[in-house]
């Protein structure tokens, strides 16, 4: 069925009146102005300066210049009929020393962004932490240092007091599995550390920090709607052989279960991935009681599925992803399989947890090569991707799963971490030489859908 016919099968109203529609961004990926107005360096400012770590040795010193162009971009959100805007706070703008003295210029900046959103009739949804740890704290061990729980809780408290009178929706951290896995185990992301000796303490301190941060928000802002966002991928074994099935199960622990389960009060999923037993040396008396939090919503961020096979040579998990490009399946520019059913499967999976009764898709989107023709970008593949994923979200909703929102990743093309500016996920195209914005056809499609 082509898009033209399928597009008629559902509308925004099919999802019901209380459904939250939005778009998501992150501070480091869009703001630029990396040392402006008292801001200090984050781990990503340092990491992008290392040769060979980022595609084309690119950095985010200017990025989308959202720091200076926030009004222009928020005007675009309004123009596209998008009622909710999820963005993050740069820790280094608020607390340049990581802790201690608050930088008023940073507070003022986010106040302006929040106030302008509200003025335009757009609801701000705040992510407190989206991967940009202050470099000065990384030099003290970063997330491997147990003091990070205190550092982060203090940061949350400053944000709650500064912005809580206008911001109703809060997400404590973005995708903990990705920033600890890629940053503290594989070394592919900032701060570029590797191995279990870095990964396991980081996992525990980050989980403790999420719970502590959420409790702090609850105490300071009793009316706030508090969530956390989790990356997830639908995992399937390559074959029905028991060893492939077992490998897929172990991969599922790392990719989908490692953070959500302790935060729901179920403890770490050690039984299904025995190497996690080693995390116990970082757990102190009383930690188990402090690990869980009763979230108002769970944000899930899904882009694809992963196919997994047994691998004797992969340490700790004896499992290996079968790359999508070898499987003869349609791919995005990231090399990810286009598999819309994955989002349905993830809603179903997370709904199965007893304490999860409100799910928001806080990120979903795709990167494809864009061709600019005058002031038009016909990104039919992105439109198809969004449409097909929304169809799966609707299927989950109609089957009674508690999914109540959908946020597109992302507003504008941006700095995609280690991939630099190559993959373009935006509904709005950016010429990074001139900072010119062009709304893509997918942006207009979303606008019309949200009319």
């Amino acid at each position: 069925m082509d898009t033209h016919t399928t597009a008629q099968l559902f509308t925004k109203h099919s999802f019901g009146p209380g459904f939250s529609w939005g778009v998501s961004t992150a501070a480091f990926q869009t703001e630029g102005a990396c040392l402006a107005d008292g801001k200090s360096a984050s781990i990503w400012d340092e990491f992008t300066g290392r040769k060979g770590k980022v595609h084309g040795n690119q950095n985010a010193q200017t990025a989308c210049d959202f720091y200076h162009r926030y009004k222009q971009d928020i005007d675009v959100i309004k123009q596209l009929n998008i009622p909710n805007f999820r963005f993050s706070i740069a820790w280094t703008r608020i607390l340049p020393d990581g802790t201690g003295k608050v930088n008023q210029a940073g507070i003022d900046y986010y106040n302006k962004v929040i106030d302008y959103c509200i003025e335009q009739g757009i609801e701000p949804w705040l992510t407190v932490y989206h991967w940009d740890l202050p470099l000065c704290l990384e030099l003290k061990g970063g997330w491997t240092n147990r003091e990070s729980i205190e550092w982060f809780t203090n940061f949350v408290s400053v944000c709650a007091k500064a912005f809580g009178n206008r911001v109703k929706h809060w997400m404590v951290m973005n995708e903990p599995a990705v920033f600890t896995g890629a940053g503290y185990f594989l070394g592919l992301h900032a701060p570029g550390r590797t191995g279990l000796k870095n990964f396991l303490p980081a996992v525990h301190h980050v989980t403790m920090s999420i719970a502590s941060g959420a409790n702090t928000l609850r105490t300071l802002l009793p009316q706030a709607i508090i969530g956390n966002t989790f990356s997830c991928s639908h995992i399937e074994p390559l074959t029905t052989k028991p060893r492939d099935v077992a490998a897929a199960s172990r991969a599922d622990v790392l990719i989908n279960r490692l953070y959500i389960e302790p935060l729901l009060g179920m403890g770490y999923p050690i039984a299904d991935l025995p190497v996690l037993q080693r995390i116990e040396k970082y757990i102190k008396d009383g930690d188990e009681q402090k690990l869980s939090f009763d979230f108002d919503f769970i944000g899930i961020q899904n882009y694809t599925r992963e196919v997994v096979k047994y691998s004797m040579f992969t340490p700790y998990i004896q499992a290996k992803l079968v790359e999508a490009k070898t499987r003869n399946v349609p791919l995005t520019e990231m090399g990810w399989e286009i598999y819309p059913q994955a989002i349905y499967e993830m809603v179903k999976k997370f709904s199965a947890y007893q304490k999860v009764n409100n799910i928001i898709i806080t990120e979903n989107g795709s990167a494809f090569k864009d061709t600019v023709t005058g002031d038009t970008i016909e990104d039919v593949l992105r439109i198809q991707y969004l449409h097909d994923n929304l169809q799966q979200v609707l299927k989950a909703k109609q089957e009674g799963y508690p999914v109540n929102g959908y946020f597109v990743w992302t507003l504008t093309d941006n700095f995609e971490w280690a991939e630099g500016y190559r993959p373009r996920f935006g509904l709005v195209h950016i010429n990074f030489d001139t900072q010119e914005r062009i709304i893509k056809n997918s942006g207009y499609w979303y606008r019309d859908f949200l009319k």
Side-chain angles (χ1 to χ4, degrees), residues 288-352:
E288 278 93 339
Q289 293 71 48
K290 293 178 188 158
L291 266 182
S292 67
F293 181 79
D294 199 3
F295 288 100
D296 298 310
F297 70 94
I298 294 298
I300 64 173
Q301 313 200 153
N302 174 262
Y303 293 89
T304 188
R305 73 164 170 172
E306 298 291 359
V307 174
V308 174
K309 67 175 181 181
Y310 171 78
S311 160
M312 187 169 73
F313 301 110
T314 310
Y316 314 122
I317 65 165
Q318 277 72 57
K320 190 178 179 187
L321 300 181
V322 182
E323 285 191 34
K325 66 182 180 195
T326 65
R327 293 192 272 115
N328 194 26
V329 291
L331 304 176
T332 69
E333 187 68 5
M334 293 290 285
W336 298 342
E337 178 183 4
I338 299 168
Y339 190 80
Q341 301 94 304
I343 206 162
Y344 166 82
E345 295 293 347
M346 297 326 292
V347 169
K348 209 166 130 179
K349 182 182 180 73
F350 279 78
S351 300

Side-chain angles (χ1 to χ4, degrees), residues 20-21 76 91 169 174 247 321 391 447 450:
S20 298
W21 296 98
V76 170
W91 189 337
H169 295 86
N174 181 73
L321 300 181
Q391 202 164 29
R447 174 197 70 184
L450 293 178

Side-chain angles (χ1 to χ4, degrees), residues 85-369:
F85 176 34
R86 171 181 171 236
F87 59 96
S88 74
I89 304 283
W91 189 337
T92 49
R93 288 199 196 284
I94 305 292
L95 294 161
D97 302 323
T99 59
K101 191 174 185 310
V102 175
N103 176 33
Q104 192 55 43
I107 300 280
D108 293 346
Y109 169 67
Y110 290 109
N111 275 331
K112 285 188 291 195
V113 174
I114 290 163
D115 291 344
Y116 195 68
C117 283
I118 293 166
E119 209 178 294
Q120 299 308 311
I122 295 160
E123 184 81 35
W125 291 49
L126 278 195
T127 308
V128 183
Y129 182 75
H130 200 127
W131 304 6
D132 46 0
L133 187 73
L135 180 60
C136 54
L137 296 182
E138 175 57 29
L139 299 176
K140 294 179 180 175
W143 295 112
T144 66
N145 183 341
R146 195 177 164 94
E147 286 178 35
S148 58
I149 304 165
E150 207 179 307
W151 302 334
F152 179 69
T153 306
N154 168 55
F155 171 46
V156 171
S157 164
V158 172
C159 292
K161 287 169 185 165
F163 315 124
N165 60 342
R166 286 148 298 147
V167 175
K168 295 191 194 89
H169 295 86
W170 294 77
M171 287 137 288
V172 185
M173 286 198 195
N174 181 73
E175 297 190 337
V178 178
F179 78 78
T180 55
Y184 283 84
F185 186 65
L186 299 170
L188 299 172
H189 281 183
R193 296 212 216 178
T194 56
L196 281 182
K197 67 179 188 300
N198 289 308
F199 178 63
L200 292 177
V203 168
H204 183 55
H205 300 147
V206 163
T207 312
M208 291 285 289
S209 295
I210 294 170
S212 176
N215 275 306
T216 300
L217 287 170
R218 180 72 81 229
T219 304
L220 294 172
L221 308 172
Q223 303 308 309
I225 299 162
I226 301 165
N228 198 73
T229 80
F230 299 91
S231 52
C232 57
S233 293
H234 177 50
I235 309 284
E236 289 181 20
L238 181 64
T239 71
T240 53
K241 287 181 194 154
R243 64 185 202 172
D244 282 348
V245 173
S249 162
R250 290 190 297 273
D252 184 54
V253 171
L254 269 189
I255 292 170
N256 297 322
R257 297 173 52 198
L258 181 56
Y259 284 93
I260 184 88
E261 292 187 1
L263 285 164
L264 294 176
M266 301 162 65
Y268 292 108
I270 289 169
D272 295 322
L273 187 59
V275 71
L276 289 177
Q277 280 168 351
R278 301 190 203 176
I279 205 168
E280 285 166 0
K281 75 180 212 190
Y282 304 104
I283 299 177
K284 301 225 164 142
D285 283 351
D287 280 6
E288 278 93 339
Q289 293 71 48
K290 293 178 188 158
L291 266 182
S292 67
F293 181 79
D294 199 3
F295 288 100
D296 298 310
F297 70 94
I298 294 298
I300 64 173
Q301 313 200 153
N302 174 262
Y303 293 89
T304 188
R305 73 164 170 172
E306 298 291 359
V307 174
V308 174
K309 67 175 181 181
Y310 171 78
S311 160
M312 187 169 73
F313 301 110
T314 310
Y316 314 122
I317 65 165
Q318 277 72 57
K320 190 178 179 187
L321 300 181
V322 182
E323 285 191 34
K325 66 182 180 195
T326 65
R327 293 192 272 115
N328 194 26
V329 291
L331 304 176
T332 69
E333 187 68 5
M334 293 290 285
W336 298 342
E337 178 183 4
I338 299 168
Y339 190 80
Q341 301 94 304
I343 206 162
Y344 166 82
E345 295 293 347
M346 297 326 292
V347 169
K348 209 166 130 179
K349 182 182 180 73
F350 279 78
S351 300
Y353 289 117
Q354 213 183 334
K355 283 186 167 177
V356 175
N357 46 30
N358 184 17
I359 290 173
I360 308 279
I361 309 291
T362 37
E363 282 183 25
N364 175 244
S366 56
F368 292 107
K369 276 206 162 69

